[in-house]
Amino acid sequence: MDESRLVAAAVDARRNAYAPYSGFPVGAALLSKGGRLFTGCNVENASYGLTVCAERVALFKAVSEGVREFEAIAVACGDAPCSPCGACRQALNEFAPNLKVILADGEGRRWEVVPLSDLLPRGFGPADVPR
Ligand code: THU
């Protein structure tokens, strides 16, 4: 799947964002290695701290359906591209430290591509936990 289709899916998912408190809707589209697409949007809550970001909604949808290997994620938000929060970087790193991250504006007019490893250098991952 090319970048523009992944961005378009994130833009589409953004329309479902539940963001009455921040007024900042975000959409995400996560592409698995097998070519499946999982979308997500931010879901806020009156108890603000319970908010879940679009990226983690997409990730948890995929993992809950048995998919754990990923190629790329597109994130669509705001007037300019924004970057996943630290919690989402960490959550994505668990499954896909080499993930391609596509940062797009809310309309999908422009985007940039950055490796997750640039966003989370020397991330803490499964290999760091003694088992
Ligand atoms: N948010 C995301 O969904 N993803 C990001 O990458 C940045 C922040 C959400 C959380 C909250 O609902 C709103 O954006 C403002 O922080």
Side-chain angles (χ1 to χ4, degrees):
M1 181 177 295
D2 66 17
E3 290 174 6
S4 62
R5 284 185 61 194
L6 205 51
V7 168
V11 169
D12 209 38
R14 182 171 176 260
R15 296 189 311 141
N16 292 327
Y18 177 71
Y21 307 107
S22 71
F24 191 74
V26 183
L30 179 63
L31 180 66
S32 79
K33 286 214 164 141
R36 287 181 65 185
L37 193 59
F38 297 88
T39 59
C41 61
N42 50 337
V43 182
E44 299 187 345
N45 192 277
S47 178
Y48 299 163
L50 296 184
T51 292
V52 183
C53 295
E55 298 92 325
R56 273 176 290 150
V57 170
L59 177 66
F60 294 163
K61 280 171 69 177
V63 174
S64 69
E65 292 193 25
V67 177
R68 297 182 181 175
E69 293 187 323
F70 305 104
E71 293 278 349
I73 189 170
V75 183
C77 62
D79 295 333
C82 69
S83 197
C85 78
C88 289
R89 295 175 196 202
Q90 178 67 26
L92 292 166
N93 180 71
E94 179 78 13
F95 296 96
N98 296 312
L99 193 69
K100 173 178 168 179
V101 182
I102 304 169
L103 309 173
D105 70 89
E107 306 298 326
R109 286 176 297 235
R110 61 193 174 92
W111 62 84
E112 60 182 288
V113 179
V114 54
L116 181 61
S117 55
D118 280 12
L119 297 175
L120 189 70
R122 300 189 63 178
F124 184 77
D128 297 307
V129 182
R131 283 186 274 192

